[in-house]
């Protein structure tokens, strides 16, 4: 459908959302997204960056336990630039689909609202 979308590189070795931008796309318009990029839905809401640690247990096998959560305040015109990070006492529950990553000790998951937008196979550094 015609709407605003996030357009970003298929892969980005530098991280930090480099190369991502907002773009108005029309339905069935495949030529507006440059080669090497993909589009994804643009979400409104609170941006959470959450670190989880895998906690094994003998009954369920284990689960991801949140160790820290930060709310990012960003600039919508620059998807990779945050004005500040605020510590949050709210920690979103890790999606069960991420349990298959249990061989990784720590992960970082970025959310907008309750939607996962990014998963890192490492913890995120403390922004303070």
């Amino acid at each position: 459908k015609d709407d605003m979308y996030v357009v970003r590189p298929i892969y980005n070795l530098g991280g930090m959302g480099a190369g991502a931008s907002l773009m108005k796309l029309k339905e069935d318009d495949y030529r507006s997204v440059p080669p090497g990029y993909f589009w994804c839905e643009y979400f409104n809401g609170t941006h959470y960056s959450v670190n989880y640690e895998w906690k094994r247990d003998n009954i369920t096998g284990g689960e991801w336990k949140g160790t820290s959560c930060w709310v990012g305040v960003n600039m919508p015109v620059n998807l990779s630039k945050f004005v500040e990070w605020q510590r949050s006492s709210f920690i979103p529950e890790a999606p069960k689909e991420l349990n298959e990553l249990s061989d990784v000790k720590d992960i970082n998951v970025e959310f907008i609202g309750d939607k996962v937008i990014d998963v890192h196979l490492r913890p995120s550094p403390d922004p303070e």
Side-chain angles (χ1 to χ4, degrees):
K1 67 180 183 175
D2 293 5
D3 210 344
M4 288 296 287
Y5 293 89
V6 176
V7 176
R8 59 190 314 163
I10 290 171
Y11 58 88
N12 174 6
L13 299 178
M16 299 293 294
S21 64
L22 289 177
M23 185 181 286
K24 182 152 180 87
L25 299 175
K26 295 184 182 282
E27 184 175 1
D28 297 326
D29 177 9
Y30 304 106
R31 295 181 185 261
S32 293
V33 177
Y37 283 69
F38 71 99
W39 61 268
C40 55
E41 188 175 352
Y42 176 69
F43 301 122
N44 285 305
T46 303
H47 185 130
Y48 297 102
S49 179
V50 186
N51 287 327
Y52 297 95
E53 182 178 39
W54 183 254
K55 297 290 187 179
R56 295 199 184 284
D57 86 37
N58 293 331
I59 298 170
T60 66
E63 64 181 336
W64 291 107
K65 294 286 190 180
T67 58
S68 65
C69 181
W70 296 88
V71 172
V73 179
N74 73 339
M75 306 166 64
V77 296
N78 183 343
L79 298 176
S80 64
K81 175 79 172 163
F82 287 85
V83 176
E84 67 176 318
W85 289 95
Q86 302 166 350
R87 187 178 294 276
S88 174
S89 59
F90 170 72
I91 296 181
E93 186 175 320
K96 299 293 182 219
E97 293 85 355
L98 297 178
N99 287 357
E100 66 185 72
L101 299 174
S102 63
D103 59 331
V104 178
K105 183 181 182 307
D106 300 289
I107 61 172
N108 173 263
V109 181
E110 306 263 341
F111 296 84
I112 293 185
D114 62 349
K115 296 171 177 62
V116 173
I117 61 165
D118 215 346
V119 177
H120 307 279
L121 303 178
R122 49 132 177 95
S124 187
D126 183 332
E128 289 183 335

